[in-house]
Amino acid sequence: MPLTLTVSDEVRALVPGFTHLAVEAHGLVNGPSDEASSALLDDAAGRLAERLDGAAPDKDPHIAAWRAAYSAFGAKPSRTRNSAEALAKRALADGGLPRINRLVDAYNAISVAHLIPVGGEDLDRIQGEMRLLRAAGDEPFVTMAGGEETVEHPEPGEIVWRDDAGVTCRRWNWRQGPRTRIEETTVNAIFLLESLAPMTHDELLAAGAELAESLEKLSPGARITVGTPE
């Protein structure tokens, strides 16, 4: 059965117009970054540069909407940038986009090309349902610090994604934990595309369809399902 994703009423009330689209994939073949996945990132960087035409990413209306959303739950958007803005800044910098692995490269390329936060989770590591909610502040977030596993806790009121075991991504889409991230051994995954007005449902669906197409090319034979905007 598809993974259940829910968004709390508190989040809906705080940030009206939030929409997410899930792309679920089974039977993927991952591995180190290669020519094909690097080409996706290079193409995305070129499309981003053309779209912005010299402007900073935060001048884009969709990124501006995400900055306002972060401010709404108490985050400082210039210090903790949403994932789309953070990737876009790297794409425009001299070092360019990082190469992680084939599947992460594919969804990072969609994020940069469409200026939309996109996350990926290993389905086999998720425990129970995924929920987007405002944190109480005592939820565990397992991360790494100085090469050692450590447990942090979100700030009370912080918007987080979590499953039954704890937080999977802090400050909405700012920092993912290593417990559920996509590794080279991942075969089943869910990719989450997150949008705010002024991005339309048609634009969100176009980004999801492009991601599905990239995944099919990287993993022929994988079973990929594109959901509906919710």
Side-chain angles (χ1 to χ4, degrees), residues 122-176:
D122 188 315
L123 275 172
D124 297 321
R125 299 180 180 181
I126 294 173
Q127 299 184 36
E129 301 178 354
M130 294 282 294
R131 287 100 70 194
L132 183 70
L133 46 73
R134 301 197 74 178
D138 58 355
E139 300 88 346
F141 176 69
V142 179
T143 187
M144 301 295 291
E148 299 289 332
E149 186 176 285
T150 185
V151 177
E152 298 178 356
H153 301 280
E155 298 291 330
E158 181 181 325
I159 294 180
V160 299
W161 278 103
R162 68 158 301 166
D163 65 1
D164 290 353
V167 173
T168 57
C169 195
R170 287 198 57 191
R171 294 178 190 166
W172 210 320
N173 47 49
W174 166 65
R175 180 156 66 110
Q176 183 185 32

Side-chain angles (χ1 to χ4, degrees), residues 33-43 99 105:
S33 300
D34 58 13
E35 272 188 40
S37 67
S38 289
L40 293 174
L41 292 170
D42 289 340
D43 175 70
R99 270 58 175 167
D105 292 352

